[in-house]
Amino acid sequence: MEESIQEKKRFAVLIDSDNISPKYAGVIFNELNEYGQATYRRIYGNWSKGNGWNEKILLENSIMPIQQFSYATGKNSTDMAMVIDAMDILYSGKVDGFCLVTSDSDFTRLAMRLREEKMHVIGMGDSKAPTSLTKSCNKFIYLDLITEHNENEEKSGQETKKSTQKKKTEQDKNGKSQINIKGTVNAEGEFDIPESVTYPCFIKPNISKNSSKSKMKRCESESELRETLTGI
C-alpha cells in the first residue's frame, strides 16, 4: 500500500540558483517524490541578474524565489541567506528533512549540522559535486546523470517507434500482410473471417481455380473486407 500523504516525510527544498541549472527543475521534484513531499520550495539568488530561472519555471514548480543582493564583490551572500533560512526552518520543527540542491562544497558543513539534528538530508547536484558534500548527505542524487538517462530513454523510444512504423509501411508496400480466405461461409451466408485479421490487410481470394491470377486488394476495415469478398 502506498504511503499516505500524512505519513510521507516533509522536506524543505532549498535551491542554490548560482550552481544549479533550471533545466533540472522538473527532475528535482520528481526524484524527491520518492522520499517525501516538499513543504518548502525556495530558491536563492540575485534576481537582478539573469540566471535562467525565469518566472515560468518558478510558477510551474511552485518555487518561491528569495532575493539576495551581493553586498560586496567576491562575497557569496546567496549561500549565507540559504544557511540562515535552513536553520530557521530546522528550529521551527515543521520538517523531517532537507533537500539541498547545490554542487557547492560550502554547504558541506550545513548538511553535517542538519544531520546532527537527526534530519534526513538529501543532496542534489551535478557529477562535479565534491566528495565532501556528497558524503555529508544521507543520499546524494546526480541530476545530470538522471537527465542524461531520461533523454537517452526518450530517444531510444522514438527510434523504436520510427522503426516499427517503417517496418509496418514496408510490410504494407510489400503486401506481406495478406490473408487467404477459403471458400467457407457461416449460417448467415457470410464469409468466415479469422479473428487474427488486423487492418489494413491485403486479401488474395482463394476460392476458384483462377485464384492464382487474382490481384491483391487492400482492405482498411472488416466491412470493406466483407464487401470485397461478397463481390468475388
Side-chain angles (χ1 to χ4, degrees), residues 11-80:
F11 282 89
V13 181
L14 309 181
I15 305 172
D16 176 13
S17 70
D18 295 338
N19 288 284
I20 296 296
S21 170
K23 69 179 181 180
Y24 298 137
V27 178
I28 291 171
F29 297 103
N30 286 339
E31 289 299 314
L32 182 62
N33 192 51
E34 296 294 324
Y35 305 94
Q37 58 179 322
T39 52
Y40 286 84
R41 298 186 179 204
R42 297 181 180 179
I43 184 168
Y44 302 79
N46 187 346
W47 305 105
S48 63
K49 299 179 180 179
N51 57 16
W53 288 86
N54 57 45
E55 181 180 357
K56 182 175 184 294
I57 296 175
L58 298 180
L59 290 176
E60 285 180 348
N61 294 279
S62 188
I63 305 173
M64 179 186 293
I66 305 298
Q67 170 65 36
Q68 184 58 53
F69 292 107
S70 299
Y71 297 121
T73 304
K75 300 295 183 180
N76 199 333
S77 301
T78 298
D79 290 5
M80 187 61 69

Side-chain angles (χ1 to χ4, degrees), residues 109-144:
R109 185 68 186 93
L110 172 61
M112 295 171 64
R113 181 70 182 86
L114 293 174
R115 287 185 64 181
E116 289 175 356
E117 293 295 327
K118 299 181 180 180
M119 289 286 106
H120 189 86
V121 181
I122 296 176
M124 295 189 187
D126 290 324
S127 300
K128 66 181 181 182
T131 303
S132 59
L133 175 63
T134 61
K135 294 296 184 180
S136 64
C137 301
N138 293 98
K139 183 177 182 64
F140 195 90
I141 298 172
Y142 297 100
L143 299 174
D144 54 335

Side-chain angles (χ1 to χ4, degrees), residues 194-219:
E195 294 182 358
S196 59
V197 175
T198 57
Y199 302 93
C201 69
F202 288 84
I203 176 69
K204 183 175 182 180
N206 187 26
I207 61 174
S208 70
K209 295 180 180 180
N210 298 323
S211 62
S212 60
K213 297 180 181 180
S214 301
K215 294 183 178 180
M216 299 292 295
K217 178 175 175 57
R218 176 181 173 125
C219 298

Side-chain angles (χ1 to χ4, degrees), residues 153-170:
E153 279 199 336
E154 182 178 354
K155 183 178 179 181
S156 177
Q158 291 175 346
E159 291 177 348
T160 300
K161 184 177 180 180
K162 288 181 180 178
S163 177
T164 302
Q165 291 176 337
K166 182 178 179 181
K167 287 181 180 179
K168 183 177 180 181
T169 301
E170 291 177 347

Side-chain angles (χ1 to χ4, degrees), residues 59-112:
L59 290 176
E60 285 180 348
N61 294 279
S62 188
I63 305 173
M64 179 186 293
I66 305 298
Q67 170 65 36
Q68 184 58 53
F69 292 107
S70 299
Y71 297 121
T73 304
K75 300 295 183 180
N76 199 333
S77 301
T78 298
D79 290 5
M80 187 61 69
M82 190 165 155
V83 170
I84 292 173
D85 263 13
M87 299 311 293
D88 285 344
I89 295 171
L90 169 66
Y91 290 117
S92 72
K94 295 179 180 179
V95 297
D96 304 301
F98 285 80
C99 179
L100 304 179
V101 189
T102 182
S103 298
D104 191 344
S105 61
D106 289 347
F107 290 100
T108 298
R109 185 68 186 93
L110 172 61
M112 295 171 64

